[in-house]
Amino acid sequence: GAVVSQHPSRVICKSGTSVKIECRSLDFQATTMFWYRQFPKQSLMLMATSNEGSKATYEQGVEKDKFLINHASLTLSTLTVTSAHPEDSSFYICSISGQGPTIEAFFGQGTRLTVV
Amino acid sequence: GEDVEQSLFLSVREGDSSVINCTYTDSSSTYLYWYKQEPGAGLQLLTYIFSNMDMKQDQRLTVLLNKKDKHLSLRIADTQTGDSAIYFCAERPMDTGRRALTFGSGTRLQVQP
């Protein structure tokens, strides 16, 4: 299956700072990637769809100016949490889009963000 | 829109079978997935099934789909303590153009020795 790599796996930052999370597709050229968020003891919710070479599509209730997405190449999408607050502390995880039933089914290992 | 529901908790004894249930509301053709998430870890894809199938078996895992009732189940045979985790079902409809997955709330499986 497709390999998706995320970095970092864990990050702690101070309130007000920005944090960048990388999602890489290692063996598949992905024009589309997905970013999900998982709050403690909750399910995964789609935040946004990252499109290579164009603007990301955000789900309702997700602030695009706070969660900046850049998809500059077919193998890399980045999510930057700007001016982080403690309520942004969460598990962020990405996946890639492609043909067939299983491409979207593979996820990166996730990034646990803690804002202090 | 899609809605996926699961029971929150299941406790079984080691060696017994576990059955985790999921219901979904999307009426179109859809892919349905089962994931395992251990504490502090990411998502591990266990298996998936297309909505034109009734059953899929892979070693200790059996997926049953009742398309009429939109009910999906994951049966784990000979459950081990290492199976303790949260299990998510998810769906992706085929005809909406939406390729992201919609997840259920997750079922916490506790396996007692």
Side-chain angles (χ1 to χ4, degrees), chain A residues 34 36 38 41-44 46 59 91 93 97-102 104-107 109 112, chain B residues 31 33 35 37 40-43 45 48 86 88 92 98-106 108:
Chain A
F34 301 110
Y36 297 80
Q38 183 183 31
K41 300 188 187 303
Q42 294 189 28
S43 187
L44 289 87
L46 180 69
E59 295 298 297
F91 188 64
I93 193 166
S97 181
Q99 298 299 318
T102 58
E104 289 88 355
F106 289 94
F107 287 79
Q109 64 267 50
R112 186 162 303 281
Chain B
Y31 284 105
Y33 307 85
Y35 290 89
Q37 185 179 39
L43 294 177
L45 176 65
Y48 69 93
I86 299 177
F88 291 96
R92 177 167 75 82
R98 177 182 171 97
R99 298 187 69 85
L101 274 60
T102 299
F103 286 84
S105 56
R108 181 177 297 275

Side-chain angles (χ1 to χ4, degrees), chain A residues 112, chain B residues 36-44 81-88:
Chain A
R112 186 162 303 281
Chain B
K36 177 184 180 183
Q37 185 179 39
E38 297 183 74
L43 294 177
Q44 177 190 353
T81 55
D83 295 325
S84 293
I86 299 177
Y87 290 80
F88 291 96

Side-chain angles (χ1 to χ4, degrees), chain B residues 14-26:
Chain B
E14 191 173 18
D16 289 348
S17 291
S18 307
V19 180
I20 302 171
N21 295 303
C22 173
T23 58
Y24 62 100
T25 58
D26 195 346

Side-chain angles (χ1 to χ4, degrees), chain A residues 42-61:
Chain A
Q42 294 189 28
S43 187
L44 289 87
M45 300 296 293
L46 180 69
M47 296 176 65
T49 301
S50 171
N51 304 300
E52 189 265 337
S54 65
K55 292 183 179 180
T57 305
Y58 291 82
E59 295 298 297
Q60 191 172 9

